[in-house]
Amino acid sequence: MTNSMADHHPGNSVAEGNHEGDFGCSMVELRNLMELRSAEAVARLNDSYGSVQNVCKRLKTSPVEGLSGNPTDLEKRRQVFGQNFIPPKKAKTFLQLVWEALQDVTLIILEIAAIVSLGLSFYHPPGGDNELCGQSAGGVEDEGESQAGWIEGAAILFSVIIVVLVTAFNDWSKEKQFRGLQSRIEQEQKFTVIRKGQVIQIPVAEIVVGDIAQIKYGDLLPADGILIQGNDLKIDESSLTGESDQVKKSLEKDPMLLSGTHVMEGSGRMVVTAVGINSQTGIIFTLLGAGEGDEEKKVKKGKKTGAPENRNKAKTQDGVALEIQPLKSQEGVENEEKEKKKVKVPKKEKSVLQGKLTRLAVQIGKAGLIMSAITVIILVLYFVIDTFGVQRRPWLAECTPIYIQYFVKFFIIGVTVLVVAVPEGLPLAVTISLAYSVKKMMKDNNLVRHLDACETMGNATAICSDKTGTLTMNRMTVVQAYVGDTHYRQIPDPEAILPKVLDLIVNGVSINSAYTSKILPPEKEGGLPRQVGNKTECALLGFVLDLKQDYQAVRNEVPEEKLYKVYTFNSVRKSMSTVLKNSSGGFRMYSKGASEIILRKCTKILDKNGDPRVFKVKDRDEMVKKVIEPMACHGLRTICLAFRDFPADAEPDWDSESEILSDLTCIAVVGIEDPVRPEVPDAILKCQRAGITVRMVTGDNINTARAIATKCGILLPGEDFLCLEGKEFNRLIRNEKGEVEQEQLDKIWPKLRVLARSSPTDKHTLVKGIIDSTIGDQRQVVAVTGDGTNDGPALKKADVGFAMGIAGTDVAKEASDIILTDDNFTSIVKAVMWGRNVYDSISKFLQFQLTVNVVAVIVAFTGACITQDSPLKAVQMLWVNLIMDTFASLALATEPPCESLLLRKPYGRNKPLISRTMMKNILGHAVYQLAIIFTLLFAGERFFDIDSGRNAPLHSPPTEHYTIVFNTFVMMQLFNEINARKIHGERNVFESIYRNPIFCSVVLGTFAAQILIVEFGGKPFSCSGLTLSQWFWCIFIGVGELLWGQLICTVPTSHLKFLKEAGHGITKEEIPEEELPEDVDEIDHAEMELRRGQILWFRGLNRIQTQMDVVYTFQTGASSLQGALRRQPSIVSQHHDVKNVSSPTHVALSSVNSTPTTSAVAAAAASPPAGNQSGECVP
């Protein structure tokens, strides 16, 4: 197979000949080897290399000792085989973000208006001196305006530029934060390798070809490799193949381990053979990255360039490797184009809050549009009737340009009304609020991966939490033991235990536990010893140390290579067993696991003399009552240690697990304590006060779970709550066929507080059941915590998935929305607080913004209709718009959260953004402001004893009268901004105002700017300076807002039934039928973004495979139909994987409904050459 590296990545193209001398195999050979699967791979390995050991020899590494770790050697390996790093996609540049921000509709309208206005200000029509056209609408065009005409257009453009830059800057910093966060996650990802015989953890990026890596349950493999030694290894390769079945890996059957796949069970060691862009994941990424760029270029050029000579092997199910053309060929591009048209995946799913806001903004925009249209129509009609009707003037040709200028003037007044009406600060407020929260949440140990998760958390109504590590400290210690018919309430003295029993305990613990679990000396003097690896195993190792024994000596005697067979722990077995071969030829197996599970398999138990005696069912029941339940009721987790000897005469069948794991002899039962974190009970109490139900989902037994739940305060004495075991839970909710019945589930979940002995599937069922439930008036919003590989589905299904930063596996972090960097339940409560705070900040901003809008629109409208000129000039309006939008969103969106947020119930998904109380505040303040402004407008000159500004003659400078109107308006807004800090009708609006320096500085800054504008703004701002007493009056009227606010608080909202709420969420009924995907809840758009690339890639592979099969079939007759037949299910299963991710439009799965053979052939024969070329559906 010809494959020169240069096609793939020019950076690494070094002539291959040179490496033959250095290492016994070139990168290309290894990469080709890694593309094979199962039997074929084993055959190639044995033909070309002889064995895995020989591969290690050629790579100059030792399977036991690993690499030497010599820097020059490592560097050389990096040069020859590449480094373990896949370059990320390029970030958007600041200019691209600016361009995106400019796409906003209101901004576009503004830009057009500004450009028209600018153009007209430089255009002085002839005939301007004509008497006949003259004073038709006195006071519209004064000399100041004609000179400063361009200022208005320029000012509009300037404010647009500011809004755009602020938005783009926000996006940019958000993107930067996210990248920083990504790199932080990547740096924290370490992997265990062996170098110089030492087991060390190194950052994933430092792994090189030839490293010997240790792999265990829950790992995400960072590079490709070949298995050297494995125990019961099962891998989930769905991320590469789309096959959901777990693949068993063994030296004889399938030793190939691929990067990006997840270890679901077992442990082992592998030699790394390909890293970075040469690993299987890397190849796909390069194809995707290069593919996107190339396609764009090609589509632009439209040239029919052929495919680059880069052929990659398709992974086929039946082990037949086919040569395929990568997706970069022209035909591929055309297909992709067609598909891109079909698959219109929405770019980013709007969160609940954004959905509500968009609808609200549209409603406000429509109202503003109508108002501005009416304003323009009234002005035009008034002008026409007055000029041509009342004054009886003829329409003269030379006057046309002047009339047009009047009309444009009216149009600009109309646009100004629209500008003020449209709250373009809204999207800004959301962005600022979310970005600010995310940044601050980092300090509260919440690493937010998806922005909207932060705000969804504010609506959470239920939290399903793990027990270990989240509610408890995850520092396990053995505190009780039952050995030789004696129950020790604390750790027994080593003298008290017979030497042979002690020996069994020490061996059973030391050998039958992952060798990656160990206890290291404390980091600080006087600290606790550090537990590394599985915490339960660490507790048992600690028990061995407490018995004054040394587990490391035992492990040195029995290194991992000597272990004959290992049944690793998984969520189904709930136990772990290790088999050793004795010198006599017999076998001894040590087992440990959950006590009720292991004791069921025990037929003997060691008595006080250390001899086995028969252990009957009634003995077991008695032991459960006397030993295990008392331990569990103290909140201890009980673990049973057992062993079994097999005779030398016949080797048992190691694959029939049920027979091997029976007839055991119980050595001891230990009680392990995992103390509740001291801060948890308080945090749970806060959740309950906030209307959030906390449920505990754990794998522990029900008594332990109940004890811990009571200590935490999840179960309260005297309340009628349910504690169920997984089995019982399933019996209650499933019908005879084993399907989950929603009605049955709805009877259980409202009262369920503890689910014990639960499997990951139970967790997923519970979460899905609560989310899909229709009882109650609101849909439940569920948050879930998880750390294990198998928690992935539940984390994805939940509205917000929390992964554990310390104990969590890579798989769990990948599926989550927020990572808890300290694994602590209290951090979840912080997240709730921040989420609610985001919601409230937006509401505060809305309350303030809408008051300004209502007042400004009405003033501009009535003013224009009565005096032919808006009392607030366009530039003044834009200044108001700027403070009220941009600055206010900064001030109100960055309010820090306070504990009182946790004293109310969650808002729920379809609670309107603007409550009745807020509507009362908005309208109440609008009434005050309008009354003041109209009083000043029509009677202000008498009150202040100044000249009237109404109907001022032509060319008059800005009047004091209109300046006072403008100044008072702004002062009222400033003081109303303080009122807007409270939205639930609280009286003390100054409460903890000093905690928000941004708010204080914005208010003071605006005030200072207003002084400058009034005193020195002159013609551009249509202002003239005011005296001190006039300033005091303006400020006094502004302070009146605060007093008026107290008055509004006294009016009970319950009496104002006529007030409407606004800004509801979208209910399902309102979505047009065709937009509803089959399974509304399943669409996870963030995941869509992630997986769309992979899906296109798999789809391409699959399509080409089917094509090749069909062509081949026509050539050779029916002999290869088996291939097509065999591959059919894989396509189907992949579609089940993909269905949730793709866009709602599905085409029928033709190739599955009819018999696979005929349909695949028929579909291929029938389909046109460039279209979708296999019978599979295009999701």
Side-chain angles (χ1 to χ4, degrees):
M1 173 162 135
T2 57
N3 187 340
S4 84
M5 190 49 214
D7 301 334
H8 238 291
H9 188 75
N12 281 343
S13 56
V14 190
E16 290 161 31
N18 314 351
H19 310 327
E20 300 300 342
D22 307 344
F23 297 104
C25 37
S26 69
M27 177 170 64
V28 177
E29 285 170 16
L30 286 174
R31 203 172 69 200
N32 296 347
L33 177 65
M34 291 319 294
E35 279 164 2
L36 305 176
R37 296 285 165 279
S38 52
E40 201 189 353
V42 177
R44 168 73 72 87
L45 240 183
N46 294 336
D47 295 348
S48 307
Y49 300 94
S51 70
V52 186
Q53 311 298 334
N54 288 353
V55 175
C56 293
K57 268 199 201 109
R58 289 199 189 186
L59 289 173
K60 302 190 176 165
T61 178
S62 146
V64 183
E65 298 276 311
L67 292 176
S68 64
N70 172 353
T72 48
D73 176 47
L74 295 179
E75 191 44 49
K76 186 169 164 200
R77 287 173 190 274
R78 280 196 195 99
Q79 279 172 359
V80 176
F81 297 108
Q83 42 185 336
N84 198 20
F85 172 70
I86 296 173
K89 251 168 112 181
K90 280 209 291 287
K92 282 184 181 155
T93 59
F94 188 67
L95 287 176
Q96 280 171 312
L97 291 171
V98 167
W99 177 244
E100 274 175 23
L102 277 171
Q103 311 294 314
D104 193 3
V105 184
T106 38
L107 290 182
I108 293 174
I109 295 178
L110 269 182
E111 288 154 23
I112 294 172
I115 290 165
V116 170
S117 147
L118 260 182
L120 284 164
S121 69
F122 294 122
Y123 168 63
H124 294 294
D129 313 330
N130 193 317
E131 286 304 308
L132 288 170
C133 319
Q135 307 295 316
S136 52
V140 174
E141 181 70 85
D142 58 31
E143 178 228 3
E145 287 281 302
S146 71
Q147 280 176 6
W150 64 273
I151 289 180
E152 193 171 321
I156 299 179
L157 280 181
F158 179 68
S159 58
V160 166
I161 289 170
I162 285 191
V163 172
V164 165
L165 286 178
V166 171
T167 318
F169 179 74
N170 261 322
D171 284 346
W172 177 77
S173 60
K174 185 175 79 189
E175 176 99 353
K176 191 170 135 221
Q177 258 175 14
F178 188 70
R179 289 204 171 249
L181 189 154
Q182 278 301 88
S183 64
R184 190 180 147 176
I185 295 175
E186 279 164 18
Q187 280 159 12
E188 281 181 358
Q189 200 191 353
K190 295 231 168 56
F191 209 75
T192 316
V193 297
I194 301 174
R195 286 190 181 167
K196 273 204 261 184
Q198 295 293 315
V199 177
I200 55 167
Q201 289 211 320
I202 59 170
V204 166
E206 289 178 18
I207 293 177
V208 294
V209 170
D211 258 324
I212 305 294
Q214 281 199 344
I215 51 178
K216 60 178 190 311
Y217 157 82
D219 281 343
L220 178 70
L221 297 184
D224 292 354
I226 304 175
L227 192 64
I228 299 176
Q229 173 255 328
N231 308 320
D232 195 21
L233 204 54
K234 284 192 188 147
I235 307 272
D236 169 14
E237 293 189 347
S238 59
S239 59
L240 280 179
T241 57
E243 291 291 335
S244 51
D245 300 342
Q246 292 175 14
V247 185
K248 272 192 172 166
K249 297 286 180 184
S250 63
L251 289 166
E252 304 75 50
K253 302 266 171 59
D254 184 358
M256 298 308 192
L257 299 169
L258 306 176
S259 59
T261 58
H262 297 138
V263 183
M264 300 309 272
E265 260 180 53
S267 61
R269 290 204 316 268
M270 70 171 190
V271 55
V272 176
T273 54
V275 291
I277 51 167
N278 302 309
S279 65
Q280 294 301 305
T281 314
I283 292 173
I284 291 182
F285 270 111
T286 358
L287 273 180
L288 286 179
E292 280 167 23
D294 288 11
E295 272 166 39
E296 282 164 23
K297 281 180 210 147
K298 275 196 194 133
V299 173
K300 280 177 194 158
K301 290 182 198 160
K303 285 182 190 161
K304 291 255 189 277
T305 43
E309 277 306 299
N310 167 10
R311 294 169 182 275
N312 194 355
K313 286 207 171 172
K315 289 129 196 130
T316 57
Q317 281 328 104
D318 47 2
V320 180
L322 298 172
E323 296 251 336
I324 66 154
Q325 192 114 1
L327 293 184
K328 290 198 275 189
S329 62
Q330 192 56 34
E331 176 187 71
V333 173
E334 281 162 17
N335 287 349
E336 292 299 312
E337 285 308 299
K338 283 199 178 149
E339 269 172 32
K340 276 182 191 158
K341 287 188 186 88
K342 273 186 207 163
V343 187
K344 273 281 176 274
V345 179
K347 218 13 205 270
K348 273 207 182 95
E349 171 68 338
K350 287 204 174 79
S351 60
V352 181
L353 181 63
Q354 280 169 318
K356 289 182 184 177
L357 280 176
T358 314
R359 299 190 78 201
L360 190 68
V362 168
Q363 288 162 352
I364 296 173
K366 280 181 187 160
L369 200 62
I370 293 167
M371 286 295 273
S372 63
I374 295 175
T375 313
V376 173
I377 291 168
I378 289 180
L379 285 172
V380 170
L381 283 178
Y382 189 99
F383 172 75
V384 171
I385 293 170
D386 187 52
T387 309
F388 304 120
V390 181
Q391 299 182 21
R392 301 277 170 95
R393 290 171 187 256
W395 180 298
L396 298 173
E398 63 265 28
C399 292
T400 309
I402 291 186
Y403 296 147
I404 287 179
Q405 199 151 12
Y406 283 134
F407 292 150
V408 166
K409 175 86 182 162
F410 301 150
F411 173 70
I412 283 181
I413 290 175
V415 169
T416 315
V417 173
L418 177 67
V419 171
V420 177
V422 173
E424 67 267 31
L426 268 185
L428 192 65
V430 182
T431 315
I432 290 179
S433 188
L434 282 174
Y436 172 77
S437 305
V438 167
K439 201 168 181 175
K440 288 274 187 255
M441 280 168 82
M442 285 284 287
K443 292 196 179 117
D444 285 337
N445 303 312
N446 282 298
L447 218 161
V448 182
R449 291 182 69 226
H450 301 137
L451 263 187
D452 50 1
C454 161
E455 145 240 325
T456 313
M457 211 39 224
N459 290 329
T461 53
I463 298 175
C464 297
S465 171
D466 277 353
K467 174 181 78 76
T468 310
T470 313
L471 300 171
T472 59
M473 290 165 83
N474 203 10
R475 225 208 120 73
M476 309 227 191
T477 37
V478 173
V479 287
Q480 295 190 17
Y482 177 84
V483 187
D485 293 347
T486 322
H487 187 168
Y488 298 95
R489 303 284 165 177
Q490 57 254 19
I491 301 259
D493 186 47
E495 309 296 313
I497 301 175
L498 294 169
K500 60 178 175 183
V501 179
L502 190 58
D503 201 39
L504 278 171
I505 292 177
V506 173
N507 282 338
V509 171
S510 313
I511 295 169
N512 184 31
S513 58
Y515 279 30
T516 46
S517 303
K518 37 182 168 310
I519 293 184
L520 302 177
E523 282 175 348
K524 294 192 207 71
E525 282 287 308
L528 293 165
R530 280 182 301 156
Q531 299 186 336
V532 181
N534 181 314
K535 299 293 188 238
T536 314
E537 292 184 344
C538 287
L540 292 168
L541 293 171
F543 178 53
V544 169
L545 295 177
D546 290 338
L547 293 172
K548 312 277 188 289
Q549 305 294 315
D550 179 13
Y551 68 85
Q552 196 54 52
V554 180
R555 284 183 175 179
N556 295 344
E557 232 171 88
V558 187
E560 257 182 303
E561 294 77 54
K562 285 201 184 164
L563 305 182
Y564 191 79
K565 172 97 183 130
V566 180
Y567 298 94
T568 48
F569 179 87
N570 65 23
S571 52
V572 182
R573 280 191 195 125
K574 291 204 186 304
S575 68
M576 172 177 178
S577 312
T578 304
V579 183
L580 294 176
K581 193 165 189 172
N582 304 338
S583 48
S584 61
F587 299 94
R588 169 166 285 186
M589 176 176 77
Y590 290 107
S591 292
K592 69 168 191 300
S595 53
E596 57 264 50
I597 288 171
I598 295 281
L599 284 177
R600 264 192 231 120
K601 298 175 177 167
C602 288
T603 51
K604 303 191 200 59
I605 186 168
L606 298 180
D607 61 13
K608 52 177 178 289
N609 305 320
D611 301 321
R613 64 176 159 84
V614 178
F615 186 61
K616 297 200 185 73
V617 176
K618 69 172 199 305
D619 299 334
R620 185 174 80 222
D621 295 344
E622 190 182 340
M623 184 159 168
V624 166
K625 263 203 203 73
K626 297 231 172 103
V627 180
I628 290 172
E629 281 182 3
M631 280 186 186
C633 292
H634 284 115
L636 303 185
R637 175 186 254 186
T638 53
I639 299 281
C640 175
L641 303 172
F643 76 102
R644 176 181 178 182
D645 285 323
F646 296 96
D649 45 13
E651 184 164 341
D653 172 15
W654 299 113
D655 287 340
S656 68
E657 234 175 278
S658 49
E659 284 172 31
I660 300 286
L661 278 183
S662 59
D663 200 16
L664 304 176
T665 306
C666 169
I667 308 171
V669 172
V670 292
I672 296 179
E673 183 185 43
D674 186 7
V676 171
R677 288 176 181 263
E679 63 274 27
V680 161
D682 190 34
I684 286 178
L685 186 66
K686 278 182 193 160
C687 281
Q688 287 160 342
R689 252 192 254 134
I692 301 170
T693 314
V694 182
R695 295 184 173 81
M696 182 163 108
V697 183
T698 175
D700 259 347
N701 90 25
I702 193 147
N703 296 322
T704 310
R706 198 184 281 122
I708 299 272
T710 314
K711 281 184 194 167
C712 293
I714 293 176
L715 293 177
L716 301 170
E719 294 207 27
D720 165 29
F721 288 142
L722 284 177
C723 291
L724 291 179
E725 283 201 339
K727 270 200 195 122
E728 179 69 1
F729 172 69
N730 278 313
R731 195 179 59 72
L732 291 170
I733 61 165
R734 292 181 190 272
N735 58 16
E736 302 79 62
K737 292 183 193 153
E739 294 155 348
V740 177
E741 299 247 330
Q742 188 67 42
E743 295 103 69
Q744 303 292 349
L745 226 168
D746 285 348
K747 289 180 195 155
I748 289 176
W749 71 257
K751 287 197 170 168
L752 181 71
R753 288 295 177 274
V754 175
L755 185 57
R757 281 276 173 253
S758 69
S759 68
T761 332
D762 298 340
K763 195 178 197 174
H764 182 255
T765 310
L766 176 66
V767 172
K768 186 173 186 314
I770 297 180
I771 289 179
D772 293 349
S773 172
T774 46
I775 55 173
D777 44 356
Q778 294 280 7
R779 144 152 150 48
Q780 295 277 319
V781 178
V782 185
V784 169
T785 69
D787 53 5
T789 308
N790 33 30
D791 290 328
L795 286 171
K796 267 210 166 34
K797 178 70 198 162
D799 295 286
V800 181
F802 285 92
M804 300 297 145
I806 303 167
T809 54
D810 305 337
V811 185
K813 289 180 189 172
E814 200 60 31
S816 69
D817 300 298
I818 297 179
I819 296 175
L820 294 179
T821 48
D822 63 345
D823 289 13
N824 193 335
F825 186 81
T826 37
S827 305
I828 300 179
V829 182
K830 293 260 178 55
V832 172
M833 226 157 81
W834 277 107
R836 293 187 171 191
N837 189 51
V838 167
Y839 212 90
D840 279 9
S841 298
I842 304 296
S843 294
K844 290 172 188 174
F845 172 69
L846 267 176
Q847 176 177 306
F848 172 66
Q849 167 89 45
L850 293 182
T851 314
V852 183
N853 284 5
V854 170
V855 175
V857 168
I858 293 178
V859 168
F861 176 70
T862 44
C865 297
I866 297 169
T867 64
Q868 253 65 129
D869 187 10
S870 165
L872 297 171
K873 300 285 181 288
V875 180
Q876 293 177 351
M877 288 273 220
L878 278 164
W879 161 239
V880 168
N881 206 28
L882 197 70
I883 33 171
M884 303 320 157
D885 269 1
T886 316
F887 297 143
S889 62
L890 248 177
L892 291 166
T894 53
E895 287 271 314
C898 50
E899 290 283 330
S900 60
L901 286 169
L902 294 174
L903 297 176
R904 61 168 176 77
K905 299 278 175 276
Y907 280 150
R909 287 199 151 227
N910 25 16
K911 174 178 184 306
L913 273 173
I914 300 172
S915 60
R916 281 226 173 92
T917 314
M918 286 167 61
M919 206 51 127
K920 175 185 77 174
N921 290 346
I922 291 171
L923 296 178
H925 286 294
V927 167
Y928 173 82
Q929 295 186 8
L930 286 171
I932 295 278
I933 285 192
F934 284 135
T935 311
L936 285 178
L937 193 59
F938 296 114
E941 70 274 19
R942 290 200 289 285
F943 177 77
F944 282 112
D945 194 22
I946 46 175
D947 298 334
S948 164
R950 290 190 311 283
N951 300 329
L954 259 181
H955 311 313
S956 58
T959 58
E960 282 185 347
H961 180 195
Y962 270 22
T963 308
I964 288 176
V965 173
F966 166 59
N967 200 20
T968 311
F969 179 67
V970 172
M971 287 302 131
M972 289 194 293
Q973 301 322 330
L974 270 182
F975 286 98
N976 193 29
E977 195 165 346
I978 299 173
N979 275 331
R981 292 184 69 243
K982 299 289 171 210
I983 48 174
H984 299 297
E986 300 93 328
R987 283 194 176 278
N988 179 7
V989 289
F990 288 103
E991 187 190 354
S992 66
I993 194 166
Y994 55 86
R995 279 180 58 209
N996 188 355
I998 301 183
F999 183 86
C1000 302
S1001 48
V1002 165
V1003 171
L1004 294 172
T1006 315
F1007 185 64
Q1010 181 62 19
I1011 295 178
L1012 292 176
I1013 287 176
V1014 170
E1015 294 303 319
F1016 309 106
K1019 276 193 180 142
F1021 280 97
S1022 317
C1023 287
S1024 78
L1026 300 179
T1027 64
L1028 202 59
S1029 69
Q1030 288 165 339
W1031 263 104
F1032 275 126
W1033 273 110
C1034 293
I1035 294 172
F1036 172 70
I1037 295 171
V1039 175
E1041 266 287 357
L1042 293 173
L1043 306 171
W1044 181 256
Q1046 295 302 313
L1047 198 72
I1048 294 179
C1049 282
T1050 4
V1051 180
T1053 316
S1054 48
H1055 293 182
L1056 306 172
K1057 286 276 181 284
F1058 59 88
L1059 285 182
K1060 284 274 186 289
E1061 299 160 322
H1064 293 263
I1066 299 183
T1067 53
K1068 266 191 195 175
E1069 293 76 65
E1070 294 173 35
I1071 305 178
E1073 278 303 304
E1074 64 273 12
E1075 280 181 25
L1076 268 177
E1078 285 93 299
D1079 187 348
V1080 176
D1081 290 323
E1082 283 297 332
I1083 290 204
D1084 171 353
H1085 291 284
E1087 186 192 7
M1088 238 189 218
E1089 290 283 287
L1090 281 174
R1091 292 190 52 184
R1092 206 159 88 233
Q1094 288 181 4
I1095 291 154
L1096 283 174
W1097 166 236
F1098 296 141
R1099 198 186 298 145
L1101 278 183
N1102 256 335
R1103 183 181 316 134
I1104 293 164
Q1105 280 175 11
T1106 313
Q1107 239 172 298
M1108 300 291 292
D1109 270 356
V1110 172
V1111 173
Y1112 191 58
T1113 309
F1114 281 132
Q1115 286 171 354
T1116 59
S1119 61
S1120 97
L1121 277 179
Q1122 277 73 32
L1125 258 168
R1126 224 172 295 170
R1127 193 156 319 102
Q1128 221 55 39
S1130 85
I1131 293 176
V1132 183
S1133 75
Q1134 185 174 314
H1135 279 294
H1136 291 311
D1137 261 71
V1138 166
K1139 197 196 292 173
N1140 314 346
V1141 196
S1142 54
S1143 88
T1145 50
H1146 281 271
V1147 186
L1149 262 168
S1150 59
S1151 55
V1152 184
N1153 305 344
S1154 51
T1155 58
T1157 340
T1158 51
S1159 82
V1161 176
S1167 71
N1172 166 26
Q1173 299 191 327
S1174 69
E1176 54 164 311
C1177 84
V1178 178

